[in-house]
Amino acid sequence: MPAPIRLRELIRTIRTARTQAEEREMIQKECAAIRSSFREEDNTYRCRNVAKLLYMHMLGYPAHFGQLECLKLIASQKFTDKRIGYLGAMLLLDERQDVHLLMTNCIKNDLNHSTQYVQGLALCTLGCMGSSEMCRDLAGEVEKLLKTSNSYLRKKAALCAVHVIRKVPELMEMFLPATKNLLNEKNHGVLHTSVVLLTEMCERSPDMLAHFRKVSLVPQLVRILKNLIMSGYSPEHDVSGISDPFLQVRILRLLRILGRNDDDSSEAMNDILAQVATNTETSKNVGNAILYETVLTIMDIKSESGLRVLAINILGRFLLNNDKNIRYVALTSLLKTVQTDHNAVQRHRSTIVDCLKDLDVSIKRRAMELSFALVNGNNVRGMMKELLYFLDSCEPEFKADCASGIFLAAEKYAPSKRWHIDTIMRVLTTAGSYVRDDAVPNLIQLITNSVEMHAYTVQRLYKAILGDYSQQPLVQVASWCIGEYGDLLVSGQCEEEEPIQVTEDEVLDILESVLISNMSASVTRGYALTAIMKLSTRFTCTVNRIKKVVSIYGSSIDVELQQRAVEYNALFKKYDHMRPALLERMPVMEKVTTNGPAEIVQTNGETETAVLETKPPPSGLQPANQANDLLDLLGGTDITPVIPTAPTSKPAFAGGELLDLLGDLNLTGSPVSAPAPQIAQPPFLLDGLTTQPLFNDIAAGIPSITAYNKNGLKIDFTFERSNTNPSVTVITIQASNSTELDMTDFVFQAAVPKTFQLQLLSPSSSVIPAFNSGTITQVIKVLNPQKQQLRMRIKLTYNHKGSAMQDLAEVNNFPPQSWQ
Amino acid sequence: IHFILLFSRQGKLRLQKWYTTLPDKEKKKIIREIIQIILSRNQKTSSFVDWKDLKLVYKRYASLYFCCAIEDQDNELLTLEVVHRYVELLDRYFGNVCELDIIFNFEKAYFILDEFIIGGEVQETSKKTAVKATEDSDMLQETVEEYMNKPAF
């Protein structure tokens, strides 16, 4: 068989291929030849064949069939073979391969070879890709070589040790003794790798760190660093006039780790750091690399303030450098230090802001983050101007973050309400579609709070969407405002700027366009529809038009819109007398959290919770019918509406049977079929809208009672009084089950005397687990305007042990504090 | 350093050195992705790219791109010096190195790299020493001539 072609030949040939297909053909041919050559166990040319295989592997072709051949090469006595064999191993035999471990023995032998270059190959391979098992097996050999006087091997052994430690951290201890003398070497290679080894150990183990601090590692390092800086020109290690920058930087990094959180160490290195910081040449990248590392070290250890200021000034100078890389590095470091050394960084604010205009994306991002960190009460106007300009021109991936950042900063530092509104407007109009969804409720809340700016705000918003209503967040906020303050808009009351002349029809035009437009999201349409509805009480001439619009959407495909339209329709038809009250102006909202929509703590019963929650009314409500839907409108929570003491109706929501219960409590027994019309009584409704806050105030004082305790079923009542409405008592019942079987389909019903009103909310579940392992809770609200003694009759039905149970009881042991 | 890649302006890989373990498919995907990212950057941008949780440091020398992936705490500016030093070593060894040298003698490029960096860390900071070690190793190579009077592969 002719000698396989030489590597360079092959490379030349393959490069002549003009198409991918041609190349593939050549490769396949050669692979076939190589495979047969491997099969023949040809020792002479194995090396050549593997080399060719490696070339083809680099081009992207599979080469796994060469793995075993690499092993054979490594085992060979010839240096040429070993060299290619180890190279092949490093490229093809990573630890995921099955045959990886077979290398171990060869490497072990080669680590003890008589030729240092062979040992070097073995160390290199082990240090680049040895698996954990291999590292465990060979760590001892590495440790031995770490102590050799041969610097060529020593430096490689040191890095090999680093790899071993990374793979098998437990073995760190065994290298400790060998590190004692490492830094006494003159050889830079050994010094460098030793510093890397020490760094690795200190980073991984606090014990090691403490140990090295104790053995005066810092002074030793300082001395070495000093020598490097002071010593004369050494051609071998010189880079643009600086002696061995690689070593300098590594030493600085190790010093950083040693000095972190340690006063003594930090103090020992203060001088040298100052020296490096002031004396290093900055004309070339090399010098700046060293300065960069020095700055990082200064900022991270417990350095004195003079040094820190020096460091930040260096960063400031970096910012002015023409070299982009240096500016990039400066911004990154400033971002890390802006929290701790805020004032110093402030001094460089203008340069940072200039970086916003840079062309490099990473630089812009860092400059933006840094700018937000630097905004404060004094510079907010100027900074905002720059940031708004940036928002205009930056890449889309930044806009969301930038917008959010601007909102946050504006909220914290706004110098005036008008400025704040203007800023919000600007963001909405320039980056309207990138504004985060949760910003909309926050903005609305902000706007309601600036009472004197309402007219101005609504005018500006109106003008903004007149031209373009595609940016959803903008349109949502605008619709809400127009709905709320439309009367101000039409009456031209704006003080801040020239009032515009708008007719009611024009306003309705724009809102209708939003409704119709394909660009509007479902949520946005909801806003628009509600806004139109609200205007029915604020506008005078166009009520019929509004009625028409609302009724059209009663048959909309969008369920959300349909529901709203139907409810609003009902408002027009049957409850027109309630409409003004319902749609009154919203009062100032208190901000509860920065995340979710603001919870309404006080309202006069308007519709807006439905707007602020962008989901449809939750479940758990009574079966839907017109009147109930109406009150969904009023409170988007699962509170069933209250029935006032109307002449005929009874507070019956738990079902008609309750009335039987009420028989001998002197109540009229007229059945209630469909729930009667409900008139909203503001105070109660108010309470109805809140979920918790108002009721906790006087809770502490009232003792709870056990209302019922029979057959293993125990029902406890706990009480809370409202401090806004003294006639209201909230009772929370807890039903528990001490038998061995669960009670299912549990229904609790209650009735109270005529002078009281009762409201029963949904229970937490209908199953009471056995052995007191859980409870059902249910809330009852009792209105007791005449402050009569509270009495209650309860009826319990449930399934237990396979049979249906039922019981009636009277509760008379209400504590006086619960009703007085 | 997690890995080093050398590739041409046309996106052809000339050298790949991995200091972390990854499946072959993954490596190929990463290479494709990174080559695309770097080739699409223009002159005006910096030499650093944030990529996943690593930083890519790259520099172009004539028709070859040299790219290193480093960790967050590594010094980017120094990595540029590392790349530059490697080019200097190649230059010293080959004498006025060009891309063709690296194509036709890729195994030598690897050998030189292995004398400069082990396990992702610099092992030798002297220009002379690294090249000399490579040259000395070359001397040790038995030529097939010794057996058959023909030049080694």
Side-chain angles (χ1 to χ4, degrees), chain A residues 27 43 51 85 104 153-154 187 191 205 220 347 362 374 380 410 476 491 580 587 619 624 652 693 715 722 726:
Chain A
I27 302 256
N43 284 333
T104 314
L153 292 177
R154 211 167 183 202
N187 180 298
L191 278 176
S205 157
Q220 223 181 347
R347 255 179 259 142
S362 324
L374 289 177
V380 65
Q476 286 169 12
S491 63
S619 50
I715 298 185
S722 155

Side-chain angles (χ1 to χ4, degrees), chain A residues 400-418:
Chain A
D401 288 331
C402 192
S404 303
I406 292 181
F407 285 144
L408 265 166
E411 209 176 302
K412 273 201 253 179
Y413 301 112
S416 76
K417 290 242 159 93
R418 158 134 190 205

